[in-house]
Amino acid sequence: MARYTGAVCRICRREGQKLFLKGTKCYSEKCAFNKRSYAPGQHGQNRKKMSEYGMQLREKQKVRKTYGILEGQFEHYFEMAVAKKDGITGENFLQILESRFDSVVYRAGFATSRAEARQLTRHGHFTINGKKVNIPSYLVKPGDVIAITDKSKSSEKIKAVLDTTEGKLVPAWLDVNRDALTATVTRLSERSEIDLDIKEHLIVEFYSK
């Protein structure tokens, strides 16, 4: 599957805010955004006032890169959100993004970033309802139980991740058992529980043109 392989710190600088794409490094003094918060490139420090379309486009790009999703799949999720009869389109859209397997692994504290969660899921470190799943884009449902495989519990990589995420705040829609290394999806997320600076109405307006 194709994916972005460039410098992720440039993404945060382009969007003008931290997107926390590199896990613990984003909270340290090594974070590039702390040193250069302006956009990359020769004219990065000369930000111009954006048009309405420009703001909508940047918001879409920001959210897409936060969740690490390619354009086609991003549009597919939006179409899914529009097709839902209940709820607000923008909130439905964010709920779908949060329901991705890699995002749930990250939210549960089994990875330090969404990028790491994608890598760990692809390498087969987790199961869903007892079956190994290595598809980061798999959408979880209420009642699903995510668990670290028995083999991976002894992995030094997994141990290091769990040590780093010890004490991490877990959203109310997940029931995490750190002893058993499981996370149960008790329900889908609500908009108030998504702690990201997202203006989803701009994305709705972008795709409504």
Side-chain angles (χ1 to χ4, degrees):
M1 179 182 292
R3 61 187 177 89
Y4 176 78
T5 57
V8 295
C9 292
R10 290 175 63 89
I11 296 176
C12 297
R13 292 175 59 202
R14 170 60 61 191
E15 303 307 330
Q17 66 183 89
K18 283 191 179 187
L19 303 182
F20 301 95
L21 303 178
K22 299 196 74 172
T24 54
K25 183 178 179 181
C26 299
Y27 298 92
S28 72
E29 296 178 356
K30 296 181 180 180
C31 177
F33 188 83
N34 291 339
K35 302 174 183 177
R36 294 176 292 175
S37 59
Y38 50 86
Q42 182 179 358
H43 305 290
Q45 298 187 60
N46 301 320
R47 287 183 179 270
K48 296 181 180 179
K49 185 177 180 180
M50 281 192 291
S51 64
E52 181 180 353
Y53 173 79
M55 289 189 290
Q56 294 167 357
L57 176 62
R58 288 261 56 90
E59 194 67 18
K60 176 185 76 74
Q61 294 295 78
K62 180 183 74 176
V63 175
R64 186 173 69 79
K65 291 171 182 176
T66 296
Y67 285 91
I69 303 172
L70 295 178
E71 190 67 45
Q73 195 167 38
F74 194 78
E75 291 182 12
H76 174 64
Y77 289 148
F78 186 80
E79 291 170 358
M80 289 175 60
V82 172
K84 289 187 67 173
K85 295 181 179 180
D86 299 326
I88 301 170
T89 297
E91 295 183 6
N92 290 343
F93 181 54
L94 294 182
Q95 187 180 76
I96 291 170
L97 296 179
E98 285 289 300
S99 300
R100 280 175 55 99
F101 187 21
D102 54 0
S103 188
V104 175
V105 166
Y106 167 67
R107 290 295 193 183
F110 296 158
T112 61
S113 67
R114 287 185 176 83
E116 184 174 61
R118 280 192 296 279
Q119 182 185 58
L120 293 176
T121 54
R122 285 196 184 107
H123 290 178
H125 289 286
F126 302 98
T127 62
I128 297 180
N129 301 329
K131 296 182 179 180
K132 188 178 291 187
V133 178
N134 61 0
I135 304 172
S137 60
Y138 178 91
L139 298 180
V140 304
K141 304 177 294 297
D144 283 348
V145 178
I146 291 89
I148 297 177
T149 65
D150 290 338
K151 181 179 179 180
S152 297
K153 288 178 181 179
S154 59
S155 164
E156 292 301 320
K157 171 65 176 178
I158 296 297
K159 289 179 180 178
V161 167
L162 294 174
D163 286 342
T164 301
T165 60
E166 182 69 37
K168 176 182 177 179
L169 183 64
V170 176
W173 52 276
L174 282 176
D175 181 13
V176 176
N177 186 326
R178 296 282 292 197
D179 294 326
L181 297 181
T182 62
T184 303
V185 182
T186 58
R187 57 178 171 80
L188 296 181
S189 62
E190 298 177 2
R191 178 62 184 93
S192 59
E193 298 169 320
I194 302 175
D195 57 346
L196 297 171
D197 181 16
I198 295 175
K199 301 178 181 64
E200 62 270 19
H201 69 277
L202 292 178
I203 302 174
V204 175
E205 291 169 3
F206 177 87
Y207 284 116
S208 299
K209 291 185 179 297

